[in-house]
Amino acid sequence: MYETGFLINSFINYQNNTMYYVRDITVNFGERTLLDKISFMITPKDRIGLIGRNGAGKSTLLKIIAREKNPDSGLLEFPTRTTIGYLRQEFELNESLKVIDEAMSSHENALALHQKLEEINLIISERTDYESDSYGKLLEELAHLTGQLEHFNLATLEIETIKVLKGLGFTDADFQRQVSELSGGWKMRIELAKLLLQQPDILMLDEPTNHLDIESIIWLEQYLITYPGTVILISHDIQFLDNICNRIIELDMGDIMDYKLNYKKYLEEKDKQKLIRHAAFENQQKEIAQKEKTINRFMAKASKTKMAQSMQKQLDKVERIELPSEHAKSMQIRFAEVPRSGREVVKAIDVSKAFDKKMVFSGLNITIERGDRIAFVGQNGQGKTTMAKIMTGLLPSTDGTIETGSNMHLSFYAQNQSELLNLKSTVLEVMEDKAPEEMRTRVRSILGAFLFSGDDADKKVSVLSGGERARLAMASLIMKPCNFLVLDEPTNHLDIYSKEVLKEALKEYQGTLLVISHDREFLSGLTDKVIEFKDGGTNEYLGDIDYYLSKKKMLNMREVELQKSDVTPVADNQNSIKGDADEIRKLRKQIGTVEKQISRFEEEIAEIETRMSDPDFYNNPEFIKTNNKYKELQASLENKMSEWESLVLTLDSVS
């Protein structure tokens, strides 16, 4: 997929400030124009957030840039050897390999070059015909390969691979697992790791955070901020976009709006431009109305007819200001009304839950009453989803009692709801399967409200994108009227606009609502009570998510996810703390010593590589000796890097 020597090409591109041009890209679907003469320039340091409604053409544009799809017209003007990495929603891995081996396959070009270099070195060491043409050609090939490899630090390939995998959440034990054992989300992490390790000139990621935990998201943010090339992102995670992107390109009705701003400043600028355009539109409409009034008055007088006609011609030439459509096709959600439930919808009394010997929480008491709008928040693993499933009868408790109120009609949206759909079914079959008898006649109209129209109903679930599957799962959910709605991470896979539509629908929902989410923008103003799960218990806050965060003195939900546990292990005492401090100081000193040794080896290697870049070097009688020294230094560097990594991992475990 990628050309040999892509890192060298990337290096040259970055140094020369290469520009990439997308020119007049047009894509038609039947009579509809998806992209209409789209043009923009990309620079190596751009961090572009590509946004737009479902169906606006975001993924299509990425596929065109990745040369996986041809536009109807237009072209890409990229340097010949530009390399492009594209994280799709669908991908293939070698299921028979171990995790570490599959990730290492991203270095196949470098490893192949290295193997070829070793083979030539071996041949040269056995030859004595120094004056022959064939020996000279071998030296030329050796010089060429050395030049290609000068930007690879072969001693650290595996270490870099391990660092990236760990950044994305893998542990040492995971490295030896077979790829076939992993879930789809963890396979996606391997695919992402491979792309990051390949370091293409243009890195394009389509919803990369969907299967990442908060620690991995933060690690990925930092990686992308310092990435040496261009990054183009599609993401529904507003904070992720805002932290990374320095440019927002919005696709809307076939056209683009290009803002060289981060996401929040883009929103401010868009609102400002909207006000300016509205004001200009209103002023122009007033002027037009005034001129038309004058023209009509003059036309009534024979002496003024010629002047009226002249004024009309001038008016016809005026370029009219148009307002962007406020009625673009978007998802429409409406929850059906059902009879009222009893006053107490569900009550948990002294509920505990353990998995094997691990106690998740104990002695919890939570009452949900009719009309409550509650958010469950807290770190992963604290039991939010577990408690929701226990309260709704989907999971048994280890101890305690659950009381359910009268006339309760439940709908539960699981965070992996879209993954539970039958891949062999069509969109229509999924809906008809879920529809109560009285809703059968409304199936197609509900599908239309969720942007599935016409032939879309006959598509197999297996060919739908992540966003389309999420919309279908949500559509099938509302087929069943309910007065108690439980949503576990409902915004996964939904784009920014669909999230806004869902939020507005939930604001109008008349039943009892329980939401589990880490999305502050989505939760803000949606609920009136927050229940925090922490350290095996719960804390209750009477207000929305903004009130909760203000009470916690936190700025965002990431701080909630990353907060330290308040529980102090019983074994902790002053002696163990002092022992840890001594060990930490000793480890830091060892790390400092090893880092100096690594630096010295790298300097010596760099000095030899500089000499090797000179073709005359290979005619020097000392060539063989120096080449052997070079290999010894690389081996020593590799050993020191392994030692450094081991020390750093030990430090991380005790600090």
Side-chain angles (χ1 to χ4, degrees):
M1 178 181 174
Y2 296 97
E3 294 185 51
T4 299
F6 60 85
L7 281 179
I8 298 165
N9 182 58
S10 301
F11 177 80
I12 294 168
N13 283 348
Y14 304 149
Q15 293 299 311
N16 293 337
N17 292 320
T18 297
M19 301 297 179
Y20 311 96
Y21 296 92
V22 176
R23 296 199 191 275
D24 298 324
I25 297 295
T26 298
V27 176
N28 299 308
F29 281 118
E31 296 181 359
R32 180 191 169 209
T33 299
L34 182 65
L35 302 175
D36 188 8
K37 294 185 177 179
I38 298 294
S39 295
F40 56 95
M41 181 184 74
I42 304 170
T43 69
K45 288 298 181 181
D46 274 342
R47 303 286 181 270
I48 298 172
L50 189 60
I51 66 171
R53 296 176 185 276
N54 275 321
K58 302 185 297 295
S59 294
T60 298
L61 182 56
L62 289 193
K63 287 175 183 174
I64 289 170
I65 294 173
R67 301 189 187 279
E68 293 188 359
K69 178 178 177 61
N70 293 321
D72 292 306
S73 63
L75 53 93
L76 303 175
E77 292 182 8
F78 292 0
T80 306
R81 298 183 67 193
T82 297
T83 54
I84 297 171
Y86 176 32
L87 181 70
R88 308 164 193 75
Q89 296 292 323
E90 299 83 28
F91 50 84
E92 289 185 10
L93 300 175
N94 188 332
E95 301 273 329
S96 65
L97 289 181
K98 293 177 181 177
V99 169
I100 186 65
D101 295 329
E102 176 62 18
M104 280 293 291
S105 71
S106 62
H107 302 298
E108 60 184 347
N109 295 321
L111 295 174
L113 288 172
H114 182 61
Q115 183 177 351
K116 183 68 175 173
L117 185 69
E118 289 293 312
E119 290 171 0
I120 292 175
N121 271 326
L122 180 61
I123 293 170
I124 288 174
S125 68
E126 295 172 349
R127 296 277 289 265
T128 56
D129 54 334
Y130 306 124
E131 304 299 325
S132 68
D133 289 343
S134 61
Y135 189 83
K137 286 180 180 178
L138 279 173
L139 292 179
E140 286 177 11
E141 189 173 359
L142 182 64
H144 176 67
L145 287 171
T146 302
Q148 283 188 294
L149 281 166
E150 66 180 352
H151 299 297
F152 292 104
N153 191 339
L154 294 175
T156 60
L157 283 181
E158 186 170 359
I159 292 172
E160 287 303 314
T161 302
I162 289 170
K163 284 180 185 175
V164 170
L165 286 173
K166 286 188 173 179
L168 292 174
F170 289 92
T171 64
D172 288 326
D174 293 328
F175 296 157
Q176 300 306 314
R177 294 178 64 189
Q178 268 199 310
V179 173
S180 58
E181 297 175 25
L182 305 180
S183 67
W186 284 96
K187 288 176 183 176
M188 186 280 290
R189 295 190 194 206
I190 297 177
E191 180 70 7
L192 176 55
K194 289 172 66 177
L195 280 180
L196 299 181
L197 288 163
Q198 287 165 341
Q199 288 207 332
D201 300 322
I202 300 176
L203 176 64
M204 303 191 299
L205 306 178
D206 191 348
E207 298 290 3
T209 64
N210 277 348
H211 298 287
L212 299 182
D213 54 33
I214 192 65
E215 290 87 354
S216 297
I217 290 173
I218 291 172
W219 179 89
L220 180 60
E221 273 182 7
Q222 294 306 310
Y223 188 96
L224 295 178
I225 287 168
T226 59
Y227 188 75
T230 299
V231 177
I232 304 177
L233 296 171
I234 297 175
S235 180
H236 64 270
D237 187 329
I238 290 174
Q239 190 171 353
F240 185 72
L241 284 175
D242 196 51
N243 288 349
I244 295 170
C245 297
N246 56 18
R247 182 177 175 189
I248 300 295
I249 293 180
E250 181 178 15
L251 284 170
D252 184 35
M253 301 181 69
D255 201 359
I256 66 166
M257 282 72 73
D258 194 346
Y259 301 83
K260 291 181 172 58
L261 302 166
N262 66 20
Y263 187 80
K264 286 181 180 169
K265 286 200 167 102
Y266 141 76
L267 288 178
E268 293 170 7
E269 182 63 22
K270 187 179 178 183
D271 285 343
K272 187 166 73 174
Q273 292 299 326
K274 186 177 178 182
L275 289 173
I276 291 170
R277 195 170 182 86
H278 268 276
F281 174 80
E282 304 240 338
N283 288 336
Q284 188 183 63
Q285 290 299 305
K286 286 178 185 175
E287 288 179 14
I288 291 171
Q290 184 63 43
K291 287 180 180 178
E292 286 177 340
K293 186 177 178 182
T294 302
I295 289 167
N296 290 334
R297 193 169 69 247
F298 283 3
M299 288 292 281
K301 297 180 180 180
S303 62
K304 300 284 188 180
T305 300
K306 191 173 181 181
M307 182 176 287
Q309 290 172 337
S310 178
M311 289 178 67
Q312 184 64 56
K313 285 180 182 177
Q314 288 180 330
L315 186 58
D316 290 342
K317 291 178 183 177
V318 171
E319 188 175 341
R320 305 295 175 103
I321 296 171
E322 292 185 5
L323 294 178
S325 171
E326 298 290 344
H327 306 290
K329 190 177 181 185
S330 62
M331 191 167 73
Q332 300 168 20
I333 302 177
R334 197 172 182 183
F335 294 96
E337 293 184 14
V338 295
R340 280 159 53 104
S341 66
R343 186 176 66 82
E344 283 191 353
V345 177
V346 63
K347 188 173 185 178
I349 305 168
D350 293 328
V351 169
S352 301
K353 182 62 179 179
F355 291 102
D356 295 326
K357 295 180 180 180
K358 177 176 170 51
M359 183 64 71
V360 182
F361 49 70
S362 62
L364 296 194
N365 292 281
I366 299 174
T367 300
I368 298 178
E369 298 187 343
R370 182 181 63 240
D372 275 351
R373 304 176 69 82
I374 298 172
F376 279 3
V377 303
Q379 293 169 294
N380 285 335
Q382 291 288 340
K384 306 183 296 294
T385 296
T386 299
M387 189 61 184
K389 287 183 175 179
I390 290 172
M391 295 184 80
T392 53
L394 300 174
L395 190 70
S397 63
T398 302
D399 202 1
T401 306
I402 297 293
E403 295 179 357
T404 303
S406 61
N407 200 34
M408 189 259 278
H409 298 267
L410 168 73
S411 281
F412 189 99
Y413 183 92
Q415 59 183 279
N416 64 336
Q417 193 77 28
S418 60
E419 296 174 18
L420 302 178
L421 299 172
N422 186 341
L423 297 179
K424 295 180 181 177
S425 296
T426 65
V427 168
L428 185 60
E429 287 168 348
V430 168
M431 292 292 284
E432 288 177 338
D433 246 8
K434 298 287 184 181
E437 194 61 41
E438 65 275 14
M439 296 290 285
R440 291 267 172 162
T441 58
R442 293 190 54 206
V443 166
R444 284 192 179 271
S445 64
I446 291 173
L447 277 175
F450 281 81
L451 307 183
F452 294 103
S453 56
D455 294 341
D456 291 339
D458 297 320
K459 286 182 179 177
K460 295 279 188 185
V461 172
S462 58
V463 305
L464 300 181
S465 69
E468 288 171 328
R469 290 183 193 183
R471 283 191 277 120
L472 178 58
M474 188 65 69
S476 65
L477 177 80
I478 72 166
M479 294 294 295
K480 177 185 173 186
C482 69
N483 54 23
F484 183 29
L485 181 61
V486 181
L487 304 175
D488 189 359
E489 300 292 359
T491 61
N492 283 355
H493 300 287
L494 290 182
D495 65 33
I496 292 166
Y497 303 95
S498 296
K499 284 200 299 183
E500 291 172 357
V501 172
L502 174 59
K503 181 175 177 177
E504 290 307 309
L506 290 173
K507 283 183 176 179
E508 299 297 319
Y509 174 65
Q510 297 299 307
T512 303
L513 177 66
L514 171 59
V515 184
I516 302 169
S517 179
H518 65 274
D519 189 328
R520 176 177 182 168
E521 286 79 10
F522 181 72
L523 288 176
S524 182
L526 183 61
T527 61
D528 49 31
K529 184 188 294 184
V530 172
I531 295 178
E532 176 192 43
F533 284 69
K534 188 179 179 188
D535 300 330
T538 59
N539 301 305
E540 191 172 298
Y541 298 80
L542 297 176
D544 75 348
I545 196 67
D546 297 322
Y547 173 80
Y548 161 76
L549 289 172
S550 70
K551 283 294 186 183
K552 297 285 289 183
K553 293 183 170 55
M554 293 180 178
L555 296 174
N556 53 57
M557 294 300 287
R558 291 188 176 184
E559 293 185 39
V560 176
E561 292 280 348
L562 296 170
Q563 64 185 315
K564 299 288 186 185
S565 173
D566 291 337
V567 174
T568 304
V570 177
D572 278 1
N573 55 47
Q574 291 303 312
N575 289 333
S576 65
I577 292 171
K578 181 179 183 299
D580 285 346
D582 289 341
E583 186 179 356
I584 287 169
R585 278 194 294 272
K586 183 180 177 182
L587 284 167
R588 284 177 176 164
K589 186 176 179 181
Q590 288 176 294
I591 289 169
T593 301
V594 173
E595 284 176 343
K596 287 177 184 176
Q597 292 169 331
I598 288 172
S599 180
R600 180 167 55 81
F601 286 137
E602 287 178 336
E603 286 173 5
E604 290 185 52
I605 288 171
E607 189 271 329
I608 292 177
E609 285 177 341
T610 300
R611 290 159 57 194
M612 292 171 84
S613 64
D614 181 357
D616 290 336
F617 167 77
Y618 299 96
N619 297 321
N620 191 312
E622 294 291 310
F623 156 65
I624 300 289
K625 183 178 178 182
T626 306
N627 196 45
N628 289 336
K629 174 68 173 174
Y630 178 71
K631 288 191 283 186
E632 288 173 9
L633 285 169
Q634 285 188 313
S636 298
L637 176 61
E638 185 173 1
N639 289 335
K640 282 299 169 187
M641 289 298 291
S642 297
E643 184 181 347
W644 176 85
E645 186 196 14
S646 176
L647 288 168
V648 169
L649 291 175
T650 304
L651 178 62
D652 287 345
S653 69
V654 299
S655 60

